[in-house]
Amino acid sequence: MLNSKLENLISFLKTKKILIGTHDLVDLDGYASCIVLKYVLNHHFNIHEVSLFFTEFSKGTSQFLEKITKLFPGFDFSCSSHADLSSFDLLLLLDMNNLNLVKINGKEAVPFIYIDHHVESESEYENNLSSYNITLNNYSSTAEIIFDICEICNIILPTALKWLLISAILTDSGYFKYGNNHTVITASKLLDNEIDIQQVFLLMKSEEDISKKVAKIKGLQRVRLLREGNYLIGVSNVSNFEASVANALLSIGFDVSIILAKKKAEYRITMRATKQICMKTGLHLGKILGELSILSGGNAGGHDGAASLNGQENQEEVLEAIIGKVKEIINA
Ligand SMILES: [Mn+2]
């Protein structure tokens, strides 16, 4: 399927002026996928009017970039954070499937295409050229899709780009915890003599922020334990680092974690579930939050074991509905 989609997409892109971008708080998967796709379009398909655009980087991405730039001093990892959309024909949006997640002025006016691995979003936009979208939710990262594109086209990537892809795959798959066979096989193809996995681990190790540690501890102090048979659900709240808190709850023994974080004008609910509970019960957090996003007046997205929702309204109702839905599924 990727083969035929790719052929159509490439012939459509041939004559276009393209801007490649990803969601805000750029993570490694979004960053690596954009950089490598630009390389592929430039070097393999001779499409040269391609620019990159990134908004704010996540802390992890910034730390990683600092280190990888030192490792490959000759390689240009830089990118622009300003883009005048009026000079482009098309936006290629990677690692996202909801236009709201990208912060570019005037984005509504430009035709766009997604390349992504998340569950397809409910929202439809007039300017999405949906027949060209490549959305494969059986992939654990967009980087794997981009690598498959390289393989289909027999492209040999420079070592620095392989570093980016392997790092992106490791982050998004939670070091294979959320991955599948394809994830491991792709990683093994990327690891050649020039890349040592221990060196990659070292580069990806980030210094843990003291405020993140405090958030995790507070999240644990406030946790509400709900027991459903042999399953444990943890509900808590923090102001920041909700994803880390959600992960921390799983690591101490909860099967499902639900973390509420109140932001300025909105609230965010972040959830995690173990692979085991998802496989045994059919629990799919991305679907649950997707269904409740209308009630929240916001948007949601994610996978079976990891998902989040940004809402403006009905915070308590949404939270209770999530808990109810999780109980219903795991008791069915
Ligand atoms: Mn991703």
Side-chain angles (χ1 to χ4, degrees), residues 236-238 258-262 267-270 315-316 319:
S236 188
N237 62 87
V238 283
I258 308 171
I259 311 297
L260 168 72
K262 282 190 196 173
Y267 62 93
R268 186 173 170 86
I269 295 173
T270 300
Q315 179 195 300
E316 280 311 310
L319 189 61

Side-chain angles (χ1 to χ4, degrees), residues 139-309:
Y139 282 62
S140 66
S141 61
T142 305
E144 283 166 65
I145 303 177
I146 302 294
F147 180 78
D148 277 9
I149 293 176
C150 296
E151 259 210 327
I152 291 171
C153 306
N154 290 317
I155 298 168
I156 296 171
L157 291 171
T159 307
L161 295 185
K162 288 191 209 165
W163 266 83
L164 288 184
L165 290 182
I166 182 85
S167 309
I169 291 170
L170 287 172
T171 342
D172 258 39
S173 71
Y175 290 79
F176 301 123
K177 236 189 291 173
Y178 313 112
N180 50 35
N181 289 6
H182 181 267
T183 318
V184 181
I185 291 167
T186 307
S188 82
K189 286 178 183 166
L190 281 162
L191 292 167
D192 56 18
N193 292 337
E194 284 162 88
I195 306 180
D196 170 12
I197 187 79
Q198 288 300 336
Q199 240 192 318
V200 178
F201 288 155
L202 214 69
L203 199 86
M204 292 179 66
K205 207 169 168 24
S206 55
E207 294 294 316
E208 189 153 20
D209 197 286
I210 183 137
S211 42
K212 190 194 274 187
K213 290 192 236 179
V214 171
K216 286 204 251 182
I217 293 165
K218 283 190 178 168
L220 281 175
Q221 285 174 322
R222 294 172 188 154
V223 73
R224 176 152 61 105
L225 164 66
L226 308 172
R227 181 170 178 170
E228 290 295 312
N230 282 328
Y231 291 122
L232 305 175
I233 306 168
V235 187
S236 188
N237 62 87
V238 283
S239 357
N240 280 307
F241 302 108
E242 51 278 6
S244 306
V245 178
N247 291 330
L249 290 195
L250 290 202
S251 72
I252 62 158
F254 285 97
D255 299 285
V256 182
S257 58
I258 308 171
I259 311 297
L260 168 72
K262 282 190 196 173
K263 307 289 178 187
K264 271 174 214 149
E266 55 175 28
Y267 62 93
R268 186 173 170 86
I269 295 173
T270 300
M271 295 181 73
R272 295 288 183 271
T274 61
K275 199 79 201 167
Q276 234 177 344
I277 195 171
C278 295
M279 285 170 78
K280 274 194 183 157
T281 66
L283 184 69
H284 194 296
L285 305 180
K287 286 183 186 159
I288 295 181
L289 294 187
E291 282 165 19
L292 287 166
S293 62
I294 301 163
L295 179 63
S296 77
N299 53 66
H303 310 278
D304 54 354
S308 62
L309 170 146

